[in-house]
Amino acid sequence: MSDPLALLKQRNSAPRLTDPAPGPAELDEIFQAALRAPDHAWLRPWRFLTIGGERRAAFGALLERCLVARNPEADEAARAKARNAPLRAPLVVVAVVTLSEHPKVPHVEQRLSAGCAVQGILLATHALGYAGIWRTGDAAFDRAVMDGLGLGANEEIVGFVYLGTREGDPKPLPELATSDFVSAW
Ligand SMILES: Cc1cc2nc3c(=O)[nH]c(=O)nc-3n(C[C@H](O)[C@H](O)[C@H](O)COP(=O)(O)O)c2cc1C
């Protein structure tokens, strides 16, 4: 998509994703876009883990183990849902915020920056003709999942960003009235 404003206005998420995922050169473009997120003091408070191919099964096993640790009563359906979650797209990007202490940049700003980086990923993915969706859920806030992914004590999961090729038609996008959200003060 060559019109940047149209891209911004039309980006939307795709819950059903299939092959192909963006290739290595395209992923580099996508992450370069993410790295231009607004970032107070240029802390670069983010990093990204890519989980593709067979590694998705290992990630699914981690999600299942952590689900059972959180909820030992989880039935087989819930366990299978967790186990298979990463298989919903050919590529999962775990967006991580790396929090540091800075006199002028509170953690909330660092988390917001990392969120903007995720939006950069989604927009660049859309621009390249692929699709994605930002997901979280209980697993994203589970320290055992973070540990299993190798995150440090100062790091958190911002989202699981599923990337691939959209399956099915895009949904109709609602028209929102600017005036419902914007007023002069
Ligand atoms: C921080 C965050 C977490 C989200 N977590 C989930 C999730 O776990 N599952 C889900 O279906 N959608 C989740 N969403 C919403 C989707 O990413 C998406 O934005 C939503 O379905 C609206 O679709 P649209 O982006 O096409 O407008 C999350 C969005 C954000 C910003």
Side-chain angles (χ1 to χ4, degrees):
M1 187 177 294
S2 57
D3 176 354
L5 206 47
L7 168 75
L8 289 170
K9 293 192 290 184
Q10 289 165 18
R11 181 219 60 83
N12 63 92
S13 306
R16 294 207 317 280
L17 293 159
T18 188
D19 283 311
E26 292 163 322
L27 276 177
D28 194 65
E29 298 272 60
I30 288 167
F31 287 120
Q32 283 294 320
L35 297 177
R36 282 309 311 138
D39 170 17
H40 195 172
W42 277 5
L43 295 181
R44 321 296 188 214
W46 48 56
R47 64 189 183 99
F48 308 96
L49 305 173
T50 61
I51 306 176
E54 296 184 0
R55 296 295 293 157
R56 291 173 305 157
F59 181 40
L62 171 68
L63 293 177
E64 183 182 3
R65 272 199 310 281
C66 293
L67 168 70
V68 173
R70 284 197 306 277
N71 175 15
E73 312 291 300
D75 62 13
E76 174 50 29
R79 290 177 61 147
K81 190 171 174 212
R83 184 165 67 240
N84 294 323
L87 305 179
R88 289 178 294 183
L91 185 69
V92 184
V93 174
V94 184
V96 175
V97 60
T98 304
L99 297 164
S100 59
E101 301 310 318
H102 188 284
K104 289 193 177 151
V105 190
H107 286 178
V108 62
E109 291 192 3
Q110 298 176 43
R111 292 187 180 99
L112 288 168
S113 263
C116 290
V118 172
Q119 175 74 338
I121 290 176
L122 292 171
L123 286 168
T125 296
H126 200 83
L128 291 169
Y130 296 93
I133 184 166
W134 180 350
R135 295 184 188 272
T136 50
D138 292 344
F141 307 104
D142 183 341
R143 196 29 78 179
V145 174
M146 298 180 214
D147 290 345
L149 288 169
L151 272 57
N154 64 327
E155 294 187 307
E156 298 171 359
I157 293 169
V158 174
F160 304 118
V161 189
Y162 288 70
L163 300 181
T165 297
R166 185 188 298 272
E167 241 185 336
D169 292 329
K171 60 186 176 244
L173 299 179
E175 293 217 7
L176 301 178
T178 309
S179 57
D180 286 347
F181 302 93
V182 182
S183 53
W185 183 79

